[in-house]
Amino acid sequence: MESVDTALDRVWPAQLRTDRLLLRPVTQEDGPLVGELLTDGRVRAHLGGPATEDRVLARQADYPATAGAFTVVRVADQQPIGLVTIGADHRCDGRAEISYQLRPAAWGEGMGREAVAAAVSWWTDAVPGGGPLVAVTQKANTASRRMLEAIGMTLVDELDEYGARQCVYTPAGDQDDSDLRWVRLLAERRDAVERRRGVQARETPVGQGLPDDLAALTPEKLARLCPARHGAYGRICARVADHPPDLHLGRAQDGAWIAWPARPDA
């Protein structure tokens, strides 16, 4: 199976059309739209809050050169109303993730559902070698969850990330559940690798100096650790704050020690 990035490069640029919408590649002229979506408190309510100015500027520069980044345009008035992006899922090698943001003025009209459904169908039909696709949304975001379920996506997993419980959805085809099996297989492989790394990292000087219960660390000791909370389980990084950005150590939900690379491609 080819990588998500390779699969996207093979079919990009692309345009998708629905009854009411056009999905086209993001351009530099979409900078105001990107800035608005990333700083609107309503749009970002379940996405960690409004982005920083540096983050906004970086996204405005990156999106036009990003394969899989669509601007959603309302055909009736040619107004850009949102973004839909398909890219590599940092949590699991070989898996794609779809994300979406829509201007509040366009909420409640089914346009988000129409746009996301079009992108999911495009990935399934046009990128057969791209591997499984998931959408991750906060468990508390009931509107997003209803939308994903309305277009035929199925809840397959839950995880803690960015300080909140997240739900993982994937398309559930009528013919078979091949995507679902891929999701589970890749998750099992990731879990096995992280557990093996965890055992090795636990034997390092830093690992040996940690208590079995990370929750028992005092605030002073926690302050000496890297604050990263990424990785499959969303656990703290249990290496000293000035370590090279290589490996993070934490605990799985069943108590096993796990470790994951700071960079998704490491």
Side-chain angles (χ1 to χ4, degrees), residues 23 26 37-38 43-44 47 55 59 63 66-72 82-91 96-102 112 115-117 119-120 133-137 144 147-148 153 169:
L23 279 68
V26 178
L37 292 172
L38 291 179
V43 175
R44 303 290 299 177
L47 296 171
R55 178 71 166 171
R59 285 298 190 187
Y63 269 133
T66 301
F70 291 101
T71 293
V72 181
L83 300 171
V84 173
T85 304
I86 294 180
D89 181 4
H90 71 273
R91 307 170 192 84
E97 178 182 4
I98 184 169
S99 58
Y100 41 89
Q101 301 174 67
L102 212 65
V116 174
V120 169
L133 175 71
V134 297
V136 181
T137 188
S144 180
M147 184 271 288
L148 293 172
M153 298 189 78
Y169 285 83

Side-chain angles (χ1 to χ4, degrees), residues 105-121:
W107 292 358
E109 301 178 20
M111 292 191 181
R113 179 172 65 248
E114 193 171 320
V116 174
V120 169
S121 296

